[in-house]
């Protein structure tokens, strides 16, 4: 309990120091819906191929911010589960805005999990899972392999593959 809360607070503070917009710690269903709508808007008109072809993220500050978000996913799931979708949605949007890096695998795989298990949009969730797996084929993504495959197999394909 307490250590997870401390980790969450520290990570949010470091992101703020890096110049990123704050992430709300008190999350309502309305905030989740708003973040979900923003993410849908950011993805509008993009195909799997478009996303896979995005340039690599090279800005070290943004890479660090994404890495912190990736770590926050695990912590928030334990301490503040309503924060989990907010983090996933923001990671997807940052990948679209700034480029692809290792954390994008987590972004798209967890978004797929949320679409399948939370929203019930199996087709779109399956697409996000596919994007996550395709991103693993890019150079430098190997450290994300087990986590991404676990997310996709357990949280996406569980719903989408007969």
């Amino acid at each position: 309990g307490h250590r997870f809360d401390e980790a969450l607070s520290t990570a949010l503070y470091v992101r703020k120091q890096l110049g990123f917009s704050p992430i709300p710690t008190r999350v309502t269903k309305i905030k989740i819906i708003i973040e979900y709508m923003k993410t849908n808007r950011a993805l509008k008109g993009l195909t799997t191929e478009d996303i896979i072809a995005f340039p690599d993220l090279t800005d070290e500050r943004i890479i660090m911010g994404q890495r912190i978000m990736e770590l926050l996913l695990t912590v928030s799931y334990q301490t503040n589960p309503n924060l989990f979708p907010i983090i996933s949605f923001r990671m997807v949007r940052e990948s679209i805005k700034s480029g692809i890096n290792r954390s994008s695998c987590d972004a798209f795989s967890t978004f797929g999990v949320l679409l399948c298990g939370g929203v019930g949009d199996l087709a779109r969730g399956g697409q996000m899972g596919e994007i996550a797996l395709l991103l693993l084929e890019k150079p430098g993504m190997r450290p994300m392999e087990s986590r991404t495959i676990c997310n996709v197999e357990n949280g996406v394909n569980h719903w989408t593959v007969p």
Side-chain angles (χ1 to χ4, degrees):
H2 174 69
R3 301 297 294 185
F4 278 123
D5 290 337
E6 192 177 314
L8 183 65
S9 296
T10 301
L12 292 171
Y13 174 76
V14 171
R15 268 189 55 84
K16 187 176 173 191
Q17 295 299 10
L18 287 169
F20 291 98
S21 61
I23 297 167
T25 51
R26 290 192 183 150
V27 180
T28 62
K29 285 188 170 134
I30 299 292
K31 284 183 183 171
I32 294 171
I33 291 167
I34 290 168
E35 292 283 333
Y36 174 65
M37 290 169 52
K38 287 180 181 177
T39 306
N40 280 337
R41 194 174 325 122
L43 286 164
K44 191 174 173 83
L46 294 174
T47 65
T48 298
E49 294 73 26
D50 292 336
I51 294 168
I52 299 306
F54 281 168
D56 291 342
L57 174 59
T58 56
D59 183 318
E60 288 296 328
R61 183 185 70 84
I62 298 173
I63 290 170
M64 180 63 66
Q66 285 285 77
R67 179 76 178 115
I68 292 169
M69 293 285 264
E70 182 189 316
L71 298 169
L72 277 172
L73 276 171
T74 306
V75 175
S76 69
Y77 193 79
Q78 300 287 328
T79 60
N80 188 346
N82 286 340
L83 193 55
F84 184 85
I86 303 283
I87 293 167
S88 175
F89 300 155
R90 290 200 180 184
M91 287 178 72
V92 167
R93 293 200 310 268
E94 192 64 58
S95 293
I96 292 166
K97 178 181 160 192
S98 303
I100 299 296
N101 74 331
R102 287 182 189 171
S103 300
S104 302
C105 297
D106 253 8
F108 287 98
S109 66
T110 57
F111 188 45
V113 169
L114 290 165
L115 286 168
C116 289
V119 178
D121 188 345
L122 303 186
R124 197 121 178 279
Q127 179 194 17
M128 295 303 130
E130 179 188 6
I131 288 167
L133 294 177
L134 289 169
L135 289 176
L136 285 177
E137 297 173 15
K138 289 181 160 247
M141 299 294 191
R142 183 145 171 73
M144 298 306 293
E145 191 172 48
S146 61
R147 187 165 156 151
T148 302
I149 290 171
C150 182
N151 284 342
V152 173
E153 286 299 326
N154 294 323
V156 176
N157 292 351
H158 163 78
W159 298 96
T160 61
V161 177

